[in-house]
Amino acid sequence: MINLYSTQIESISIHRIGNKNKGEGAFLSEEPTQLNDETTGILKEYFFKPFREKEENYFKLSNEVDVEFNELYQIVSQLFADPSSAHLNSKKIATHLFEQSNHPHIKSGEVYVTYLTGLVLDNTKVDAVGIFKSELKHDFLQFAEKGSNLDIIIQQGININKLDKGCLIFNVNKEEGYKVLSVDSNRYDAKYWLENFLGVDALADENFYTKNYLKFCQNFAKDVVLPAEDKQQEVLFMNRAVNHFAKNDEFEESNFLTEVMENPELIPEFKHYKVEKGPKYSIEDVSTFDIANKAVSDARRKIKNVINLDTNIQIKLDFINPESAEKFVEKGWDEERQMYYYLVYFNKEQKS
């Protein structure tokens, strides 16, 4: 988990790179950029806002032979070893990005390379290299006095409320390829940023396994529990699964199945489904791992706990108190109407 509140921009170098395929060049600044308090505040919000709003899906720099052959890894390692080389290495980073900018869809733009201190990662202060790119230009209006009138002047600039691309490379886990966060608002060229420039793989940590295991459970509920039972049991299964993760610090699959799988006949189905679908989520050989609380909270917000009926009625079940749905909601069949029904018990209606 990251906290960017106390982050300081120790140095920043700004370059411009074009589309190599279109014959556009690269402009590399000779000196780092000097910031004042106003520009520092604006840039920190511009750079860091997407990371505060995005799920923390961590990556690591990698290479199919060895991480030492990842060009960005080499440059960043030099920078971490000697922060005074930040500007020199920023040119190498911008040049490396320019060399990958050879697809017709890739847009020219400014590249900001920053050396950052004071970031808090998993309750520990760390340094990081931040690399950001602005691509899309937006029209905005300026006004100038001309005699007794105001003239409209149309100019183009960057929308500081939306970063196009960015990454934070934390100075931890060097041997494994560092710990990396990435954002990309323009997904049409994601391969260019993640694969060609950064060269990253997903970091298989507790956040990765927690998130992927819950996604796997969600699909098992949809593909197996729903056809075998009904929508109520699909929702209740995910309800129990999320709550199991929420109340435990460590995941152990046999305990999970004992507690969450109310229908024992579905346990073999679960194990078979894991063999078949597990590789998609990189959990086929995983049965124990530490649980990441933030990943559980993120999953809880995304998982639907609503039964939608074809009579335009919705029944929302409580993820916090799943026993209520099991005690006070019953499903049945009405012979006269030839329709299913849900019977809901309650003492009084709650005020909104």
Side-chain angles (χ1 to χ4, degrees):
M1 187 172 180
I2 61 167
N3 185 331
L4 301 170
Y5 179 77
S6 59
T7 302
Q8 298 298 317
I9 300 176
E10 298 296 336
S11 70
I12 179 169
S13 301
I14 305 176
H15 311 289
R16 179 181 292 119
I17 62 169
N19 186 308
K20 191 176 180 182
N21 181 269
K22 297 178 182 179
E24 299 170 349
F27 180 88
L28 304 180
S29 298
E30 281 301 317
E31 301 290 339
T33 302
Q34 301 302 314
L35 303 180
N36 56 35
D37 290 343
E38 183 179 10
T39 52
T40 297
I42 290 172
L43 287 177
K44 285 173 70 173
E45 183 65 14
Y46 178 50
F47 293 154
F48 301 150
K49 182 181 178 182
F51 294 95
R52 293 196 298 265
E53 297 175 346
K54 187 178 182 293
E55 281 187 46
E56 293 178 15
N57 297 322
Y58 288 98
F59 298 94
K60 61 180 179 180
L61 301 177
S62 66
N63 181 275
E64 59 185 10
V65 178
D66 188 271
V67 69
E68 294 283 350
F69 292 95
N70 180 302
E71 186 167 347
L72 188 59
Y73 176 85
Q74 296 176 13
I75 300 170
V76 169
S77 295
Q78 294 171 11
L79 205 163
F80 281 134
D82 180 12
S84 66
S85 70
H87 184 68
L88 174 63
N89 282 299
S90 78
K91 291 183 178 183
K92 296 179 183 178
I93 290 172
T95 301
H96 173 52
L97 182 59
F98 175 67
E99 292 299 324
Q100 316 310 315
S101 306
N102 49 22
H103 190 282
H105 289 165
I106 295 171
K107 293 179 171 57
S108 62
E110 293 73 35
V111 180
Y112 314 77
V113 180
T114 62
Y115 189 77
L116 308 170
T117 60
L119 301 86
V120 178
L121 178 67
D122 298 328
N123 299 316
T124 302
K125 279 195 174 184
V126 299
D127 295 349
V129 172
I131 306 169
F132 314 96
K133 187 184 179 193
S134 54
E135 297 175 330
L136 300 180
K137 301 298 187 290
H138 301 266
D139 292 336
F140 64 93
L141 301 180
Q142 290 277 32
F143 300 90
E145 294 182 12
K146 189 174 183 180
S148 58
N149 294 312
L150 282 176
D151 267 8
I152 297 176
I153 302 170
I154 299 177
Q155 296 182 334
Q156 280 199 331
I158 296 166
N159 178 4
I160 61 172
N161 292 314
K162 185 180 181 182
L163 179 69
D164 291 306
K165 288 177 170 62
C167 73
L168 297 173
I169 304 173
F170 301 96
N171 191 12
V172 295
N173 301 348
K174 178 183 177 182
E175 292 74 15
E176 289 80 37
Y178 297 110
K179 203 167 184 177
V180 182
L181 277 177
S182 176
V183 294
D184 188 351
S185 299
N186 307 323
R187 298 306 300 269
Y188 55 80
D189 55 2
K191 183 177 179 181
Y192 146 73
W193 181 254
L194 281 177
E195 297 182 24
N196 299 345
F197 171 58
L198 295 177
V200 292
D201 284 334
L203 180 62
D205 58 3
E206 64 273 14
N207 186 77
F208 176 85
Y209 286 127
T210 302
K211 182 186 69 173
N212 281 17
Y213 205 100
L214 283 171
K215 282 185 178 178
F216 165 78
C217 288
Q218 193 172 2
N219 278 326
F220 172 78
K222 180 181 68 176
D223 294 342
V224 179
V225 178
L226 175 60
E229 298 185 331
D230 56 26
K231 183 67 179 179
Q232 181 185 13
Q233 291 306 314
E234 176 197 359
V235 173
L236 290 176
F237 169 80
M238 278 312 300
N239 207 326
R240 293 190 297 271
V242 171
N243 282 311
H244 178 88
F245 273 78
K247 70 182 184 182
N248 288 284
D249 295 324
E250 185 176 340
F251 177 84
E252 204 287 314
E253 191 169 272
S254 60
N255 292 338
F256 172 79
L257 292 175
T258 301
E259 180 178 326
V260 171
M261 201 73 70
E262 289 204 335
N263 182 353
E265 294 180 3
L266 290 181
I267 293 179
E269 293 286 341
F270 184 92
K271 293 179 178 179
H272 174 75
Y273 191 81
K274 188 181 177 188
V275 171
E276 182 182 352
K277 302 291 186 179
K280 178 181 176 182
Y281 304 92
S282 302
I283 62 161
E284 66 273 22
D285 298 320
V286 175
S287 58
T288 61
F289 53 86
D290 291 334
I291 292 173
N293 292 332
K294 188 176 186 304
V296 177
S297 299
D298 291 339
R300 193 193 293 274
R301 285 195 297 270
K302 290 182 177 181
I303 295 172
K304 294 181 179 179
N305 58 339
V306 175
I307 301 174
N308 291 300
L309 306 179
D310 58 3
T311 51
N312 298 319
I313 292 174
Q314 290 184 333
I315 300 176
K316 184 175 181 179
L317 305 180
D318 190 351
F319 261 18
I320 305 300
N321 300 295
E323 66 277 359
S324 295
E326 299 182 85
K327 286 182 181 178
F328 307 126
V329 179
E330 294 180 8
K331 185 178 180 181
W333 172 258
D334 188 302
E335 286 289 347
E336 184 177 343
R337 295 194 179 193
Q338 291 292 292
M339 296 174 70
Y340 291 102
Y341 64 82
Y342 279 104
L343 181 62
V344 180
Y345 295 92
F346 65 97
N347 292 312
K348 61 180 179 180
E349 296 180 357
Q350 301 283 1
K351 293 181 179 180
S352 301

